[in-house]
Amino acid sequence: MTTVARTGSRRYRELNGWFFVGPSIALIGVFMAYPIVKSLWLSLHSGQGSVMKFVGAGNVERLFSDPIFLIALTNTFIFLIVQVPIMIVLALIMASCLNMPNLRFRGILRTAVFLPCVTSLVAYSVLFKSMFSYDGLVNSILLKLGLISEAIPWLSDPFWAKVVVITAITWRWTGYNMIFYLAAMQNIDKSIYEAARIDGISATRRFLSITVPMLKPVILFTTVTSTIGTLQLFDEPMNITNGLISDVTLTLSLYIYKLSFRYVPNFGYAATVSYVIVVLVAILAFVQFYAARERD
Amino acid sequence: MKNLPETIRMACTYVFLVLMAFLSLFPFVWMMIGATNTNTDVTKGKISFGSAFFDNFAKLSELFDVGQIFLNSAKIAIVGSFFTLLISSMAGYGFEIFRSALRERVYQALLLSMMVPFAALMIPLFTLLATADVLDTHMAVILPAVASAYIIFYFRQSTKAFPSELRDAARVDGLKEWQIFLFVYVPVMRSTYAAAFIIVFMTAWNNFLWPLIVLQSNELKTITLAISSLGSSYSPDFGVIMVATVLATLPTLLVFFAMQRQFVQGMLGSVK
């Protein structure tokens, strides 16, 4: 049967097509397209509430002389540059271990490392906060083992607070990314590994020269989604280190929230900061896609 | 690197995986132990069960109407999931079955919108809902999430496997397009719906930033908001907080164990 016969006349198809996709397009138009354009418009204005005046690039100039913005930007980049690679490497190693032939307890081990990603971001943040409190579990274990001589102020020290946030995010998302790699690895032809093994190529070499290149699209996908996620980091710094009060783990999203809903609201400037995230997502996604294509 | 003997390599693999599994599971154990201990014991790092669970629960009930916040979270997650699945699956179906050049272009734009960070939307969304005078309602939490580009994409990908013979047969039987969708497509695609449901339900149940902005009244707040406000109080009571985190985690944990296969399928849907 031809396509025409199956889906009827052109008019019929048009009518039904818009009937099915219409509601979604309307909702995305109102709750996504309109806000993103409005944000851009807002970013060219400054002022409070309805007394907004046009400032053009004034908000952008303000960004560079705003020390708090620079802290938020630096922190966000630290999280991005340190956390994403650690997590992706760890997830790859986990997946290739779980993909080994003859592995026993595979199901239980896989479920265990995957389980963190069913927790809500707020709930696990608070759990980490309790474990890393000053006289808390982690400090007392480290003290007992003699690894440190005095308790570490995990949640208030600018360096250690970032370590806790990075540890927490890694705990929550490594298993999630691992599942993508594991699924992709199961699609790789086993005979390639057999041939390499017979040729006496080491396991590390097999991992780097067979597994990683075969997984490139999936690694790219997870890198892009993790980058987008990390650039928007909010729940963890907010709930692990009292983000509303302390700036040790201030991120761009947290700063936007504070600018809009905690300080005297300046929606124009807050929208400008939010566009920094938009631009960063666009640039980094482009760079990552480009880098992946280059190596082909 | 030298080629290690098989047995040593296998041993290293087990040690590594067991360590990772332990680290992954420990916070869950810590949470359950903490729920039974007093605040002092939790902050001291006590790792054995205590007897303060009912005290903690009672304290939590004094601070929040536990049943109410649990119901609020459930209502937002379930009502939100229902509409998201309905609207977004219609779109995924429509884009795939009734193709046209214009709709393809709209679809491309839709996919691009997945890259837009929420932070760039929240201020205009807030002022929009303030103008419509629906702030501080559950509808304001649910509505912006109903049309999800990701779920539309997921349904469109899955619709490619929907047998066209079924559509043809239904049309010969004289069914209208909306009837084909509702009575043929939906039942046939139920495992796709199950997988999408898990993703949407979890996202809505765990959502924090948007409800934080929109909901002001205590009787409307969700369980994640309750946990956050307990955790950021001047002197947080971690025993009480742990009871709340157990309550927040149980539903998603149950969904996970009941539908583990669909859960993973839903996650992977985007890359297949």
Side-chain angles (χ1 to χ4, degrees):
Chain A
M1 216 183 272
T2 64
T3 317
V4 178
R6 214 186 294 138
T7 47
S9 73
R10 195 189 151 83
R11 198 181 121 75
Y12 175 88
R13 270 177 45 190
E14 279 304 297
L15 232 67
N16 279 295
W18 294 119
F19 167 76
F20 281 103
V21 305
S24 279
I25 291 174
L27 284 167
I28 286 181
V30 175
F31 295 114
M32 201 126 188
Y34 162 74
I36 192 77
V37 175
K38 182 73 185 291
S39 260
L40 188 61
W41 185 86
L42 280 173
S43 73
L44 302 173
H45 293 72
S46 188
Q48 276 129 41
S50 52
V51 256
M52 301 280 281
K53 66 173 200 296
F54 185 81
V55 292
N59 282 327
V60 180
E61 281 166 33
R62 183 176 160 186
L63 284 178
F64 293 101
S65 54
D66 177 355
I68 306 176
F69 166 74
L70 295 174
I71 292 174
L73 186 68
T74 314
N75 287 351
T76 306
F77 263 99
I78 292 173
F79 289 135
L80 185 69
I81 290 165
V82 178
Q83 196 271 332
V84 175
I86 292 179
M87 175 182 69
I88 283 173
V89 170
L90 200 59
L92 271 171
I93 297 172
M94 264 189 205
S96 79
C97 285
L98 283 168
N99 195 39
M100 279 177 111
N102 317 321
L103 184 79
R104 297 180 66 194
F105 311 112
R106 191 193 310 272
I108 294 172
L109 289 167
R110 189 182 49 207
T111 304
V113 296
F114 180 68
L115 213 54
C117 78
V118 309
T119 60
S120 89
L121 302 185
V122 175
Y124 95 83
S125 295
V126 179
L127 286 180
F128 272 76
K129 183 182 184 172
S130 73
M131 288 192 284
F132 284 91
S133 61
Y134 188 69
D135 42 7
L137 179 75
V138 174
N139 269 336
S140 62
I141 289 175
L142 292 176
L143 283 168
K144 252 177 225 159
L145 292 174
L147 291 171
I148 51 174
S149 53
E150 56 182 303
I152 294 172
W154 291 106
L155 304 175
S156 54
D157 180 82
F159 175 77
W160 292 114
K162 291 182 188 71
V163 172
V164 174
V165 169
I166 288 170
T167 310
I169 306 169
T170 308
W171 178 80
R172 172 66 167 71
W173 293 102
T174 305
Y176 174 86
N177 288 296
M178 182 278 295
I179 289 289
F180 288 90
Y181 303 147
L182 192 58
M185 281 175 189
Q186 280 158 358
N187 292 334
I188 301 178
D189 193 348
K190 298 271 183 299
S191 61
I192 303 176
Y193 288 102
E194 272 316 306
R197 202 197 303 256
I198 290 161
D199 287 347
I201 292 163
S202 74
T204 320
R205 199 72 241 158
R206 288 200 296 271
F207 175 71
L208 291 176
S209 311
I210 303 172
T211 314
V212 174
M214 296 283 265
L215 257 52
K216 209 166 75 179
V218 189
I219 295 174
L220 175 68
F221 172 82
T222 54
T223 311
V224 172
T225 51
S226 304
T227 302
I228 296 176
T230 313
L231 285 174
Q232 301 189 65
L233 208 58
F234 179 84
D235 297 21
E236 292 88 348
M238 170 89 169
N239 291 297
I240 297 177
T241 52
N242 264 354
L244 289 185
I245 303 156
S246 150
D247 279 350
V248 288
T249 58
L250 185 76
T251 58
L252 291 172
S253 285
L254 201 47
Y255 189 42
I256 295 165
Y257 176 77
K258 283 181 162 186
L259 280 173
S260 319
F261 304 108
R262 290 288 140 154
Y263 304 150
V264 180
N266 185 341
F267 287 156
Y269 186 54
T272 311
V273 180
S274 78
Y275 255 81
V276 172
I277 303 185
V278 175
V279 171
L280 287 176
V281 166
I283 294 175
L284 290 173
F286 178 78
V287 167
Q288 284 161 356
F289 278 115
Y290 191 77
R293 193 181 298 173
E294 266 306 79
R295 272 182 250 124
D296 270 334
Chain B
M1 194 175 163
K2 256 189 70 192
N3 219 344
L4 286 170
E6 191 74 7
T7 43
I8 296 180
R9 233 185 57 228
M10 217 54 199
C12 290
T13 306
Y14 279 112
V15 170
F16 173 74
L17 285 176
V18 169
L19 181 71
M20 287 297 133
F22 173 77
L23 291 176
S24 299
L25 295 180
F26 181 76
F28 289 94
V29 179
W30 170 250
M31 168 177 84
M32 285 185 275
I33 288 175
T36 67
N37 280 317
T38 61
N39 180 44
T40 339
D41 283 338
V42 176
T43 44
K44 265 186 351 209
K46 177 171 176 252
I47 16 180
S48 57
F49 284 98
S51 56
F53 177 77
F54 291 104
D55 279 353
N56 288 337
F57 192 86
K59 278 189 208 157
L60 179 65
S61 310
E62 278 168 30
L63 294 165
F64 289 97
D65 185 342
V66 180
Q68 185 65 51
I69 57 167
F70 199 83
L71 271 181
N72 290 341
S73 280
K75 177 186 158 193
I76 289 172
I78 292 169
V79 175
S81 301
F82 174 79
F83 285 107
T84 308
L85 289 189
L86 177 70
I87 302 280
S88 303
S89 68
M90 275 173 67
Y93 176 81
F95 277 121
E96 183 61 24
I97 301 290
F98 306 101
R99 293 192 198 184
S100 80
L102 179 59
R103 273 191 295 278
E104 270 327 290
R105 228 168 293 151
V106 172
Y107 182 71
Q108 300 295 332
L110 217 72
L111 290 189
L112 208 64
S113 77
M114 272 198 268
M115 307 269 281
V116 175
F118 180 72
L121 307 175
M122 68 189 190
I123 298 164
L125 273 181
F126 178 80
T127 52
L128 178 73
L129 294 172
T131 316
D133 204 22
V134 288
L135 284 181
D136 203 21
T137 62
H138 286 155
M139 194 175 77
V141 180
I142 294 170
L143 217 50
V146 163
S148 155
Y150 178 78
I151 300 298
I152 294 172
F153 173 69
Y154 181 57
F155 271 102
R156 179 169 188 175
Q157 291 303 104
S158 310
T159 304
K160 293 185 198 296
F162 178 66
S164 61
E165 295 78 19
L166 285 179
R167 264 182 53 77
D168 296 338
R171 290 196 59 200
V172 171
D173 287 348
L175 263 69
K176 295 193 171 61
E177 289 296 338
W178 67 267
Q179 291 172 317
I180 299 177
F181 176 78
L182 213 55
F183 304 126
V184 182
Y185 179 81
V186 174
V188 169
M189 304 298 281
R190 58 186 177 278
S191 71
T192 305
Y193 277 92
F197 169 74
I198 294 166
I199 302 295
V200 179
F201 178 85
M202 301 273 268
T203 312
W205 180 268
N206 293 335
N207 198 0
F208 173 60
L209 177 53
W210 184 236
L212 177 71
I213 293 170
V214 170
L215 298 177
Q216 305 296 329
S217 318
N218 265 328
E219 65 270 19
L220 292 177
K221 285 193 172 158
T222 62
I223 194 147
T224 48
L225 292 180
I227 293 173
S228 179
S229 82
L230 287 171
S232 58
S233 70
Y234 189 67
S235 52
D237 185 328
F238 281 109
V240 174
I241 292 173
M242 294 299 172
V243 174
T245 55
V246 169
L247 285 176
T249 312
L250 272 182
T252 49
L253 217 53
L254 285 177
V255 169
F256 172 73
F257 279 113
M259 309 166 86
Q260 202 171 349
R261 202 174 49 80
Q262 286 95 334
F263 191 101
V264 172
Q265 189 201 327
M267 253 180 58
L268 295 176
S270 48
V271 281
K272 281 223 171 126

